Amino acid sequence: MRAPAAFALAAAALFAVAPLALTDFRLSLLAKYLCYAIVAVGICLAWGRGGLLTLGQGVFFGLGGYAMAMHLKLADAGPGQLPDFMQLYGGTGTLPWWWKPFENPVFALAATVLLPMAVAALLGFLIFRRRVRGAYFAILSQALAVAMVILLVGQQGTTGGTNGLTDIRGFFGYDLDDPVNQRTVYFLIAGVLLLLMALARQLIRSRYGELLVAVRDSEERVRFLGYDPATVKLVAYVTAAGMAGLAGALFVPAVGIISPALIGIVPSIQFVIGAALGGRASLVGSVLGAIAVAWAQTALSEEFPAAWTYAQGLMFVLVIGFLPGGLASLAGTLRRRRSRTPRAPDAPGPPEGAPATATASAPRLEVTP
């Protein structure tokens, strides 16, 4: 009953306590943090259970965010009209062909999840089939993030360049400037987070979850048992990408913007740091860690803008080096260390009236050949 009770407690905190205790501004910030927490759920599955250090989740977050923002910008512009930035920088005066499918809301919603999963499936197939893992996999993930940012920045007329897609005012017919609609977006994000946590928990506790842990611990043994480790890792990687894409799609109406600065290497590392700090093998720990790091970034970067990036790197090094299980494993680590501490036995004193030799140790029995 621990998991249902924790789920009910989280639902009460998100749907009852937070809306009553927080102002509209703080609630919108929490909605932003919950989007990062959705990414952390996928990282918990791929890295915490599968051992895949995914340092490129910002790419999938951005794909989902841009897919949603493209539809919302077209809806704000109206039928037959170009988005505002295209009128300034587009040059041709016509809508690019690859923008046109995003006029359909069903296509846009499907693309927010399926497009990141398709890219992850292609990349993962090429990487895992060649048995690339460890640091090499992490480096390739970061290279993908860099390439994505360069591509977006270089297309000023079709992607908004360094500014990205900004000034998004509507969300499927609802005005995002209305506080009531902003609260509705928050409730939507909170519901999606709880749903994905429940889905990830079932996946982790299933036979596939056990197989994923086995691949992480001993890939060759799993291969000898007749399973394909590449397929097992690919499923986790694609699932995490889909969650990141959905988080990016929800981030757009919560914040009203998506830009290359939100999907590069630094945001990708921030996602991983949050999961590592809370406990990458724990769903609750990953979610709380992601929220805590996002809150710290908002609170501390205003006072120490230059030092915040260094603080992020220091947190990552300290957690990985000294507490690999994150804060979620702190209590268990302390219990294990306490149980391993040897206790000195209480030596009984000599009986009253006994000679002093009674307390001497017994002589050793030596056998000579």
Side-chain angles (χ1 to χ4, degrees):
M1 293 295 293
R2 293 177 58 186
F7 188 85
L9 182 62
L14 291 175
F15 286 95
V17 177
L20 293 176
L22 300 178
T23 63
D24 291 337
F25 174 72
R26 296 296 177 185
L27 197 66
S28 64
L29 284 180
L30 181 57
K32 172 183 173 181
Y33 303 157
L34 294 184
C35 292
Y36 295 154
I38 293 175
V39 182
V41 174
I43 293 176
C44 175
L45 178 66
W47 184 32
R49 292 290 173 170
L52 304 173
L53 183 53
T54 53
L55 292 179
Q57 291 302 95
V59 173
F60 309 121
F61 183 86
L63 287 173
Y66 269 88
M68 175 62 74
M70 288 166 65
H71 170 73
L72 297 182
K73 290 295 290 184
L74 292 172
D76 288 344
Q81 300 296 320
L82 293 178
D84 49 6
F85 74 94
M86 285 189 184
Q87 297 177 15
L88 293 175
Y89 308 113
T92 60
T94 58
L95 189 68
W97 64 267
W98 52 277
W99 269 73
K100 293 181 180 180
F102 290 93
E103 293 177 334
N104 189 324
V106 176
F107 178 88
L109 287 174
T112 59
V113 178
L114 297 182
L115 182 58
M117 294 179 72
V119 173
L122 177 60
L123 182 65
F125 179 82
L126 297 176
I127 291 177
F128 299 140
R129 288 296 173 184
R130 293 181 177 274
R131 302 186 184 182
V132 177
R133 51 188 172 182
Y136 300 102
F137 172 75
I139 292 172
L140 287 174
S141 299
Q142 283 199 326
L144 179 64
V146 173
M148 182 70 175
V149 171
I150 293 175
L151 176 64
L152 292 174
V153 171
Q155 303 296 321
Q156 178 77 27
T158 56
T159 64
T162 55
N163 295 327
L165 304 181
T166 62
D167 194 25
I168 295 174
R169 301 183 300 273
F171 182 63
F172 293 97
Y174 294 94
D175 184 9
L176 291 176
D177 292 331
D178 189 345
V180 175
N181 295 333
Q182 279 289 346
R183 284 186 168 243
T184 303
V185 171
Y186 163 79
F187 288 130
L188 175 63
I189 295 172
V192 170
L193 173 61
L194 293 178
L195 180 62
L196 291 182
M197 287 183 66
L199 178 63
R201 181 179 180 273
Q202 291 300 115
L203 193 60
I204 289 172
R205 292 170 60 89
S206 67
R207 185 174 180 179
Y208 168 77
E210 297 177 355
L211 188 60
L212 183 61
V213 174
V215 170
R216 179 197 66 189
D217 295 339
S218 182
E219 185 172 326
E220 295 300 326
R221 290 187 179 183
V222 173
R223 183 176 288 108
F224 291 151
L225 290 174
Y227 295 97
D228 185 6
T231 303
V232 176
K233 292 190 290 186
L234 183 63
V235 171
Y237 186 52
V238 171
T239 302
M243 292 182 180
L246 183 57
L250 295 172
F251 180 87
V252 172
V255 181
I257 182 177
I258 188 71
S259 69
L262 298 169
I263 66 176
I265 292 180
V266 174
S268 297
I269 295 178
Q270 178 185 329
F271 293 147
V272 174
I273 290 174
L277 179 65
R280 63 179 185 266
S282 167
L283 279 173
V284 176
S286 298
V287 168
L288 294 180
I291 295 174
V293 169
W295 172 84
Q297 181 184 18
T298 302
L300 300 180
S301 61
E302 297 177 357
E303 298 293 334
F304 311 99
W308 169 244
T309 303
Y310 296 102
Q312 277 187 315
L314 180 61
M315 280 192 299
F316 187 63
V317 171
L318 291 177
V319 170
I320 297 299
F322 299 98
L323 195 64
L327 295 179
S329 66
L330 183 59
T333 302
L334 294 177
R335 284 197 301 267
R336 286 193 298 270
R337 289 184 178 180
R338 192 179 297 113
S339 63
R340 292 174 183 173
T341 304
R343 295 183 179 179
D346 297 332
E352 186 177 355
T357 56
T359 59
S361 58
R364 295 182 180 179
L365 179 62
E366 297 183 359
V367 179
T368 57

